[in-house]
Amino acid sequence: MAEPELTLTASLRPAALDARRGVVRLHPEVLTALALRPGDPVRLAGRRVSAGIVAPAEPGASTALLYADDLVLGNLALRDGGQVTVSPVPVTQARRVTLTGPVPVVAAVAPQMLRLALLGKMVTPGDDVSLLPQDVLPDASARALVAAARRSLADTVGYAWTSTLLTVVEAEPADGALVTMDTVVGWEHDTTEAGPTEAGPTEAGPAEAGPAEAGPTGAGPTGAGLTGAGPVGVGTADDAPRVDELPGLRAQAEELTELLDLGFHHREVLGRLGTTVSLGVLVSGPAGSGKSALVRAVAATVGARVRRLWAPELAALTNDAAARRLREAAAGVRAEGPAVLLVTDVEALAPADDAGPLATVFRQVLAETVRSGAAVICTTSRPEAVDPALRAPDLLSLRITVPLPDPALRREQLNVLTRQVPMAEDVRLDEVAGRTPGFVAADLAALVREAGMRAALRQKSARTPTVAMADFTAALEVVRPTSMAASTLERASVTLDDVGDLVEVKKTLTESVLWPLTYPDTFARLGVQPPRGVLLYGPPGCGKTYLVTALAGSGRANVLSVKGAELLSKWVGESERAVRELFRRAREAAPTLVFLDEVDALAPVRGQATDGGTTDRVVAALLTELDGMEALRHVVVVGATNRPDLVDPALLRPGRLERLVYVPPPDGPARAEILRAASRMVPLAEDVDLGALGEELTGFSAADCAALVREAALAAMRESLTASTVTAVHVATARRRVRPSLDPAQVAWLAAYASTHQS
């Protein structure tokens, strides 16, 4: 009996949650007509044939349309629309899949990680696929694997992992098959492939959650040595980067080279001295900073082979299967002569919180391997999450830290990454390096790729295209450092110059916040310690948060934004951990501005809480982070509150939030300036006098003034949707709707507080 089929019209869904994950959506009636269930595979025939996973379309969808993203439409050669024939196909497991892609991605993404990115997707030779994994899988172990894959892809590839496209070169069978954990996945011209694991096959369904992270693919040559992690398996010297391709890591490379050279080639000297050397090393550093590339480069220098294990994959297996894989890898390293067992993301294998039986096996294997004379090097971007027992003298006795690059090192890395990129004369890499605080090598590689992609879009027909400074500027708008993936304040297009009035406040913030982040060398030259923090206080709606947004818009520092209550947890110890994690991320991404909104909720006066001492411990953790034994370099903390009297006094002493800045309610001229700033994009009629209006708005805060302009525009729209200007009549209508929100008693109290506490 022939399978049913329907011919539908293709429709683009650019903002879908499942974008670039191989999912197509059909009306529920169409699914019923084709005897399909959500998650079933289908054959898609347009101008070329492809395959996908079906899911129900949103309410109100048409029964005549097939909804797909740009990736699926491109695979069907229907980017401009057209007819698609949809028919069910049986679930067929892909036996083997071979792919190709940008050189840096091929070097960085191991086959095992690549298989997880494809898990649950239908593949056909000639199709383009993304690295975005299916996020909703029925098998719990598969979900854990995919979550680990997302983190590791971000670590190894950087920002570009969400936009990179790969091409399926071969697939068995060739008429469309589903990638499972038993599929053998590999790169073209690469002898190392990801084979079946002991975890067993997994049937994957379509992802229906997660942000639409797809974007245009970046291309162009870059320095793969900076970020390449190499394939899982045995690495050779031919595919390893050179040490001189790792600017900023030369000191770490020299230390590691001396250790491995001594342990591999000069043990007789140690024997004559009556001592030994332990070749267990923990390499820590921010995600994407080149830890694995460092190990591979040094191993190639000393003539050692590298066998790499990805800890999250082992942790997702059964204990017996993971232990077997560990022992087999260690036995191989011991038998290969000078060799290194490289375990990446080791915190997944031996977590500090819950070190189970697998962590015990790992410690035993680690000790046996190190005693045999082989080297075991573990990498992590979260050293505090690694089991402390691994730091024993006979295990990981040496720790090497990869630092976050400063502007000078970022300039060197950009030199390496753009070595083969034809650049226009106006490109200023010094400026690019200065505008990328918190960027690691992987982020800079993503930036170069994004700039190259934008240059290609501008010069599709040019014979000698070049990358211009405008391309880097545009790339900086979308590429963000991986260390700032969460709790970030979106960089706005406003700066302090766009803030109406508040001249003295802006001057104080420039000196106390921007100068320490932008000119740290000047403070060092003059031998003074820059201010550690600032407390903004004032009535609600007077622009405290907007001022911080304007500071973020300067683009010279990363910004971490946290509301005070977000760090509080009912579980003992979790709140203090959240504070430590916040400042750890701030140090990694330095120069950083940490914004604590509603800081009175996070750091109230100690000894008055009724929560069992949770807030008291949080205040103690916050005080320690701000002015403790560990220096807080190139990090400035800005707190905001409308109740400064509720903040613990210890937080306001010099060395912590030492500058108290009062943000007063606006007076008449200030309200006029705020109205002008808020109405910059609003077409006002000539009869609207903002100066006179500002004088009339007694008791209005900055937020009230902005709300008045917005309400006036809405009044014009209510009158006519074709209105072209906002008139004085519309403003008068808005005046009747918007009421002042300032409390005179609170304003008077804050003014009195400022007179005695103002810095």
Side-chain angles (χ1 to χ4, degrees), residues 435-453:
R435 294 179 61 184
T436 51
F439 277 55
V440 293
D443 302 321
L444 294 175
L447 180 70
V448 174
R449 282 194 294 270
E450 182 71 17
M453 183 271 293

mmCIF file with all atom_site columns, all heavy atoms in Angstrom, residues 435-453:
data_model
loop_
_atom_site.group_PDB
_atom_site.id
_atom_site.type_symbol
_atom_site.label_atom_id
_atom_site.label_alt_id
_atom_site.label_comp_id
_atom_site.label_asym_id
_atom_site.label_entity_id
_atom_site.label_seq_id
_atom_site.pdbx_PDB_ins_code
_atom_site.Cartn_x
_atom_site.Cartn_y
_atom_site.Cartn_z
_atom_site.occupancy
_atom_site.B_iso_or_equiv
_atom_site.pdbx_formal_charge
_atom_site.auth_seq_id
_atom_site.auth_comp_id
_atom_site.auth_asym_id
_atom_site.auth_atom_id
_atom_site.pdbx_PDB_model_num
ATOM 1   N N   . ARG A 1 435 ? 37.586 47.124 22.505 1.00 0.00 ? 435 ARG A N   1
ATOM 2   C CA  . ARG A 1 435 ? 36.127 47.052 22.616 1.00 0.00 ? 435 ARG A CA  1
ATOM 3   C C   . ARG A 1 435 ? 35.634 45.630 22.876 1.00 0.00 ? 435 ARG A C   1
ATOM 4   O O   . ARG A 1 435 ? 34.445 45.376 22.775 1.00 0.00 ? 435 ARG A O   1
ATOM 5   C CB  . ARG A 1 435 ? 35.488 47.587 21.331 1.00 0.00 ? 435 ARG A CB  1
ATOM 6   C CG  . ARG A 1 435 ? 35.728 49.062 21.105 1.00 0.00 ? 435 ARG A CG  1
ATOM 7   C CD  . ARG A 1 435 ? 35.095 49.521 19.806 1.00 0.00 ? 435 ARG A CD  1
ATOM 8   N NE  . ARG A 1 435 ? 33.655 49.322 19.798 1.00 0.00 ? 435 ARG A NE  1
ATOM 9   C CZ  . ARG A 1 435 ? 32.873 49.564 18.742 1.00 0.00 ? 435 ARG A CZ  1
ATOM 10  N NH1 . ARG A 1 435 ? 33.422 50.003 17.620 1.00 0.00 ? 435 ARG A NH1 1
ATOM 11  N NH2 . ARG A 1 435 ? 31.571 49.355 18.811 1.00 0.00 ? 435 ARG A NH2 1
ATOM 12  N N   . THR A 1 436 ? 36.535 44.724 23.208 1.00 0.00 ? 436 THR A N   1
ATOM 13  C CA  . THR A 1 436 ? 36.141 43.329 23.446 1.00 0.00 ? 436 THR A CA  1
ATOM 14  C C   . THR A 1 436 ? 36.546 42.855 24.836 1.00 0.00 ? 436 THR A C   1
ATOM 15  O O   . THR A 1 436 ? 37.228 41.840 24.972 1.00 0.00 ? 436 THR A O   1
ATOM 16  C CB  . THR A 1 436 ? 36.756 42.418 22.368 1.00 0.00 ? 436 THR A CB  1
ATOM 17  O OG1 . THR A 1 436 ? 38.172 42.692 22.273 1.00 0.00 ? 436 THR A OG1 1
ATOM 18  C CG2 . THR A 1 436 ? 36.122 42.640 21.023 1.00 0.00 ? 436 THR A CG2 1
ATOM 19  N N   . PRO A 1 437 ? 36.173 43.576 25.891 1.00 0.00 ? 437 PRO A N   1
ATOM 20  C CA  . PRO A 1 437 ? 36.511 43.087 27.236 1.00 0.00 ? 437 PRO A CA  1
ATOM 21  C C   . PRO A 1 437 ? 35.807 41.781 27.526 1.00 0.00 ? 437 PRO A C   1
ATOM 22  O O   . PRO A 1 437 ? 34.638 41.582 27.167 1.00 0.00 ? 437 PRO A O   1
ATOM 23  C CB  . PRO A 1 437 ? 35.998 44.218 28.149 1.00 0.00 ? 437 PRO A CB  1
ATOM 24  C CG  . PRO A 1 437 ? 34.901 44.858 27.361 1.00 0.00 ? 437 PRO A CG  1
ATOM 25  C CD  . PRO A 1 437 ? 35.339 44.786 25.933 1.00 0.00 ? 437 PRO A CD  1
ATOM 26  N N   . GLY A 1 438 ? 36.516 40.849 28.179 1.00 0.00 ? 438 GLY A N   1
ATOM 27  C CA  . GLY A 1 438 ? 35.930 39.573 28.524 1.00 0.00 ? 438 GLY A CA  1
ATOM 28  C C   . GLY A 1 438 ? 35.964 38.542 27.414 1.00 0.00 ? 438 GLY A C   1
ATOM 29  O O   . GLY A 1 438 ? 35.580 37.403 27.628 1.00 0.00 ? 438 GLY A O   1
ATOM 30  N N   . PHE A 1 439 ? 36.431 38.929 26.207 1.00 0.00 ? 439 PHE A N   1
ATOM 31  C CA  . PHE A 1 439 ? 36.480 37.978 25.099 1.00 0.00 ? 439 PHE A CA  1
ATOM 32  C C   . PHE A 1 439 ? 37.679 37.054 25.263 1.00 0.00 ? 439 PHE A C   1
ATOM 33  O O   . PHE A 1 439 ? 38.785 37.489 25.582 1.00 0.00 ? 439 PHE A O   1
ATOM 34  C CB  . PHE A 1 439 ? 36.610 38.715 23.766 1.00 0.00 ? 439 PHE A CB  1
ATOM 35  C CG  . PHE A 1 439 ? 35.307 39.219 23.205 1.00 0.00 ? 439 PHE A CG  1
ATOM 36  C CD1 . PHE A 1 439 ? 34.470 40.038 23.946 1.00 0.00 ? 439 PHE A CD1 1
ATOM 37  C CD2 . PHE A 1 439 ? 34.913 38.873 21.936 1.00 0.00 ? 439 PHE A CD2 1
ATOM 38  C CE1 . PHE A 1 439 ? 33.272 40.504 23.439 1.00 0.00 ? 439 PHE A CE1 1
ATOM 39  C CE2 . PHE A 1 439 ? 33.718 39.323 21.406 1.00 0.00 ? 439 PHE A CE2 1
ATOM 40  C CZ  . PHE A 1 439 ? 32.893 40.142 22.161 1.00 0.00 ? 439 PHE A CZ  1
ATOM 41  N N   . VAL A 1 440 ? 37.450 35.762 25.013 1.00 0.00 ? 440 VAL A N   1
ATOM 42  C CA  . VAL A 1 440 ? 38.531 34.779 24.972 1.00 0.00 ? 440 VAL A CA  1
ATOM 43  C C   . VAL A 1 440 ? 38.790 34.437 23.510 1.00 0.00 ? 440 VAL A C   1
ATOM 44  O O   . VAL A 1 440 ? 38.161 34.969 22.599 1.00 0.00 ? 440 VAL A O   1
ATOM 45  C CB  . VAL A 1 440 ? 38.183 33.521 25.785 1.00 0.00 ? 440 VAL A CB  1
ATOM 46  C CG1 . VAL A 1 440 ? 38.097 33.848 27.258 1.00 0.00 ? 440 VAL A CG1 1
ATOM 47  C CG2 . VAL A 1 440 ? 36.883 32.899 25.304 1.00 0.00 ? 440 VAL A CG2 1
ATOM 48  N N   . ALA A 1 441 ? 39.730 33.522 23.276 1.00 0.00 ? 441 ALA A N   1
ATOM 49  C CA  . ALA A 1 441 ? 40.136 33.206 21.908 1.00 0.00 ? 441 ALA A CA  1
ATOM 50  C C   . ALA A 1 441 ? 38.955 32.740 21.060 1.00 0.00 ? 441 ALA A C   1
ATOM 51  O O   . ALA A 1 441 ? 38.810 33.145 19.903 1.00 0.00 ? 441 ALA A O   1
ATOM 52  C CB  . ALA A 1 441 ? 41.233 32.139 21.927 1.00 0.00 ? 441 ALA A CB  1
ATOM 53  N N   . ALA A 1 442 ? 38.097 31.883 21.626 1.00 0.00 ? 442 ALA A N   1
ATOM 54  C CA  . ALA A 1 442 ? 36.953 31.385 20.858 1.00 0.00 ? 442 ALA A CA  1
ATOM 55  C C   . ALA A 1 442 ? 36.001 32.517 20.493 1.00 0.00 ? 442 ALA A C   1
ATOM 56  O O   . ALA A 1 442 ? 35.432 32.526 19.392 1.00 0.00 ? 442 ALA A O   1
ATOM 57  C CB  . ALA A 1 442 ? 36.216 30.316 21.656 1.00 0.00 ? 442 ALA A CB  1
ATOM 58  N N   . ASP A 1 443 ? 35.811 33.472 21.393 1.00 0.00 ? 443 ASP A N   1
ATOM 59  C CA  . ASP A 1 443 ? 34.933 34.600 21.098 1.00 0.00 ? 443 ASP A CA  1
ATOM 60  C C   . ASP A 1 443 ? 35.521 35.482 20.002 1.00 0.00 ? 443 ASP A C   1
ATOM 61  O O   . ASP A 1 443 ? 34.802 35.963 19.125 1.00 0.00 ? 443 ASP A O   1
ATOM 62  C CB  . ASP A 1 443 ? 34.697 35.432 22.363 1.00 0.00 ? 443 ASP A CB  1
ATOM 63  C CG  . ASP A 1 443 ? 34.101 34.618 23.492 1.00 0.00 ? 443 ASP A CG  1
ATOM 64  O OD1 . ASP A 1 443 ? 33.233 33.771 23.212 1.00 0.00 ? 443 ASP A OD1 1
ATOM 65  O OD2 . ASP A 1 443 ? 34.512 34.816 24.642 1.00 0.00 ? 443 ASP A OD2 1
ATOM 66  N N   . LEU A 1 444 ? 36.832 35.710 20.057 1.00 0.00 ? 444 LEU A N   1
ATOM 67  C CA  . LEU A 1 444 ? 37.478 36.519 19.028 1.00 0.00 ? 444 LEU A CA  1
ATOM 68  C C   . LEU A 1 444 ? 37.421 35.816 17.673 1.00 0.00 ? 444 LEU A C   1
ATOM 69  O O   . LEU A 1 444 ? 37.250 36.467 16.633 1.00 0.00 ? 444 LEU A O   1
ATOM 70  C CB  . LEU A 1 444 ? 38.930 36.813 19.412 1.00 0.00 ? 444 LEU A CB  1
ATOM 71  C CG  . LEU A 1 444 ? 39.111 37.706 20.641 1.00 0.00 ? 444 LEU A CG  1
ATOM 72  C CD1 . LEU A 1 444 ? 40.593 37.814 21.002 1.00 0.00 ? 444 LEU A CD1 1
ATOM 73  C CD2 . LEU A 1 444 ? 38.545 39.108 20.389 1.00 0.00 ? 444 LEU A CD2 1
ATOM 74  N N   . ALA A 1 445 ? 37.565 34.480 17.673 1.00 0.00 ? 445 ALA A N   1
ATOM 75  C CA  . ALA A 1 445 ? 37.429 33.736 16.418 1.00 0.00 ? 445 ALA A CA  1
ATOM 76  C C   . ALA A 1 445 ? 36.014 33.891 15.862 1.00 0.00 ? 445 ALA A C   1
ATOM 77  O O   . ALA A 1 445 ? 35.832 34.069 14.648 1.00 0.00 ? 445 ALA A O   1
ATOM 78  C CB  . ALA A 1 445 ? 37.758 32.261 16.644 1.00 0.00 ? 445 ALA A CB  1
ATOM 79  N N   . ALA A 1 446 ? 35.007 33.848 16.738 1.00 0.00 ? 446 ALA A N   1
ATOM 80  C CA  . ALA A 1 446 ? 33.630 34.058 16.294 1.00 0.00 ? 446 ALA A CA  1
ATOM 81  C C   . ALA A 1 446 ? 33.441 35.468 15.757 1.00 0.00 ? 446 ALA A C   1
ATOM 82  O O   . ALA A 1 446 ? 32.719 35.685 14.780 1.00 0.00 ? 446 ALA A O   1
ATOM 83  C CB  . ALA A 1 446 ? 32.667 33.796 17.455 1.00 0.00 ? 446 ALA A CB  1
ATOM 84  N N   . LEU A 1 447 ? 34.084 36.442 16.387 1.00 0.00 ? 447 LEU A N   1
ATOM 85  C CA  . LEU A 1 447 ? 33.991 37.827 15.928 1.00 0.00 ? 447 LEU A CA  1
ATOM 86  C C   . LEU A 1 447 ? 34.572 37.974 14.528 1.00 0.00 ? 447 LEU A C   1
ATOM 87  O O   . LEU A 1 447 ? 33.980 38.630 13.653 1.00 0.00 ? 447 LEU A O   1
ATOM 88  C CB  . LEU A 1 447 ? 34.718 38.742 16.918 1.00 0.00 ? 447 LEU A CB  1
ATOM 89  C CG  . LEU A 1 447 ? 34.717 40.233 16.580 1.00 0.00 ? 447 LEU A CG  1
ATOM 90  C CD1 . LEU A 1 447 ? 33.320 40.808 16.754 1.00 0.00 ? 447 LEU A CD1 1
ATOM 91  C CD2 . LEU A 1 447 ? 35.708 40.985 17.469 1.00 0.00 ? 447 LEU A CD2 1
ATOM 92  N N   . VAL A 1 448 ? 35.729 37.363 14.296 1.00 0.00 ? 448 VAL A N   1
ATOM 93  C CA  . VAL A 1 448 ? 36.353 37.444 12.970 1.00 0.00 ? 448 VAL A CA  1
ATOM 94  C C   . VAL A 1 448 ? 35.479 36.761 11.929 1.00 0.00 ? 448 VAL A C   1
ATOM 95  O O   . VAL A 1 448 ? 35.303 37.256 10.809 1.00 0.00 ? 448 VAL A O   1
ATOM 96  C CB  . VAL A 1 448 ? 37.766 36.830 13.012 1.00 0.00 ? 448 VAL A CB  1
ATOM 97  C CG1 . VAL A 1 448 ? 38.371 36.759 11.613 1.00 0.00 ? 448 VAL A CG1 1
ATOM 98  C CG2 . VAL A 1 448 ? 38.674 37.648 13.927 1.00 0.00 ? 448 VAL A CG2 1
ATOM 99  N N   . ARG A 1 449 ? 34.905 35.604 12.288 1.00 0.00 ? 449 ARG A N   1
ATOM 100 C CA  . ARG A 1 449 ? 34.021 34.920 11.346 1.00 0.00 ? 449 ARG A CA  1
ATOM 101 C C   . ARG A 1 449 ? 32.798 35.765 11.013 1.00 0.00 ? 449 ARG A C   1
ATOM 102 O O   . ARG A 1 449 ? 32.378 35.859 9.861  1.00 0.00 ? 449 ARG A O   1
ATOM 103 C CB  . ARG A 1 449 ? 33.585 33.564 11.911 1.00 0.00 ? 449 ARG A CB  1
ATOM 104 C CG  . ARG A 1 449 ? 34.625 32.475 11.802 1.00 0.00 ? 449 ARG A CG  1
ATOM 105 C CD  . ARG A 1 449 ? 34.017 31.104 12.053 1.00 0.00 ? 449 ARG A CD  1
ATOM 106 N NE  . ARG A 1 449 ? 33.551 30.942 13.412 1.00 0.00 ? 449 ARG A NE  1
ATOM 107 C CZ  . ARG A 1 449 ? 34.306 30.468 14.402 1.00 0.00 ? 449 ARG A CZ  1
ATOM 108 N NH1 . ARG A 1 449 ? 35.564 30.142 14.185 1.00 0.00 ? 449 ARG A NH1 1
ATOM 109 N NH2 . ARG A 1 449 ? 33.814 30.328 15.611 1.00 0.00 ? 449 ARG A NH2 1
ATOM 110 N N   . GLU A 1 450 ? 32.204 36.386 12.047 1.00 0.00 ? 450 GLU A N   1
ATOM 111 C CA  . GLU A 1 450 ? 31.022 37.214 11.818 1.00 0.00 ? 450 GLU A CA  1
ATOM 112 C C   . GLU A 1 450 ? 31.365 38.414 10.945 1.00 0.00 ? 450 GLU A C   1
ATOM 113 O O   . GLU A 1 450 ? 30.595 38.789 10.051 1.00 0.00 ? 450 GLU A O   1
ATOM 114 C CB  . GLU A 1 450 ? 30.445 37.671 13.162 1.00 0.00 ? 450 GLU A CB  1
ATOM 115 C CG  . GLU A 1 450 ? 29.182 38.493 13.077 1.00 0.00 ? 450 GLU A CG  1
ATOM 116 C CD  . GLU A 1 450 ? 27.977 37.674 12.661 1.00 0.00 ? 450 GLU A CD  1
ATOM 117 O OE1 . GLU A 1 450 ? 28.041 36.435 12.739 1.00 0.00 ? 450 GLU A OE1 1
ATOM 118 O OE2 . GLU A 1 450 ? 26.967 38.282 12.246 1.00 0.00 ? 450 GLU A OE2 1
ATOM 119 N N   . ALA A 1 451 ? 32.525 39.037 11.195 1.00 0.00 ? 451 ALA A N   1
ATOM 120 C CA  . ALA A 1 451 ? 32.941 40.163 10.353 1.00 0.00 ? 451 ALA A CA  1
ATOM 121 C C   . ALA A 1 451 ? 33.166 39.705 8.919  1.00 0.00 ? 451 ALA A C   1
ATOM 122 O O   . ALA A 1 451 ? 32.798 40.402 7.964  1.00 0.00 ? 451 ALA A O   1
ATOM 123 C CB  . ALA A 1 451 ? 34.209 40.793 10.925 1.00 0.00 ? 451 ALA A CB  1
ATOM 124 N N   . GLY A 1 452 ? 33.773 38.526 8.739  1.00 0.00 ? 452 GLY A N   1
ATOM 125 C CA  . GLY A 1 452 ? 33.981 37.998 7.396  1.00 0.00 ? 452 GLY A CA  1
ATOM 126 C C   . GLY A 1 452 ? 32.674 37.719 6.687  1.00 0.00 ? 452 GLY A C   1
ATOM 127 O O   . GLY A 1 452 ? 32.533 37.969 5.482  1.00 0.00 ? 452 GLY A O   1
ATOM 128 N N   . MET A 1 453 ? 31.689 37.198 7.418  1.00 0.00 ? 453 MET A N   1
ATOM 129 C CA  . MET A 1 453 ? 30.388 36.919 6.824  1.00 0.00 ? 453 MET A CA  1
ATOM 130 C C   . MET A 1 453 ? 29.718 38.210 6.368  1.00 0.00 ? 453 MET A C   1
ATOM 131 O O   . MET A 1 453 ? 29.165 38.296 5.267  1.00 0.00 ? 453 MET A O   1
ATOM 132 C CB  . MET A 1 453 ? 29.513 36.184 7.831  1.00 0.00 ? 453 MET A CB  1
ATOM 133 C CG  . MET A 1 453 ? 28.143 35.769 7.308  1.00 0.00 ? 453 MET A CG  1
ATOM 134 S SD  . MET A 1 453 ? 26.880 37.039 7.535  1.00 0.00 ? 453 MET A SD  1
ATOM 135 C CE  . MET A 1 453 ? 26.757 37.068 9.314  1.00 0.00 ? 453 MET A CE  1
#
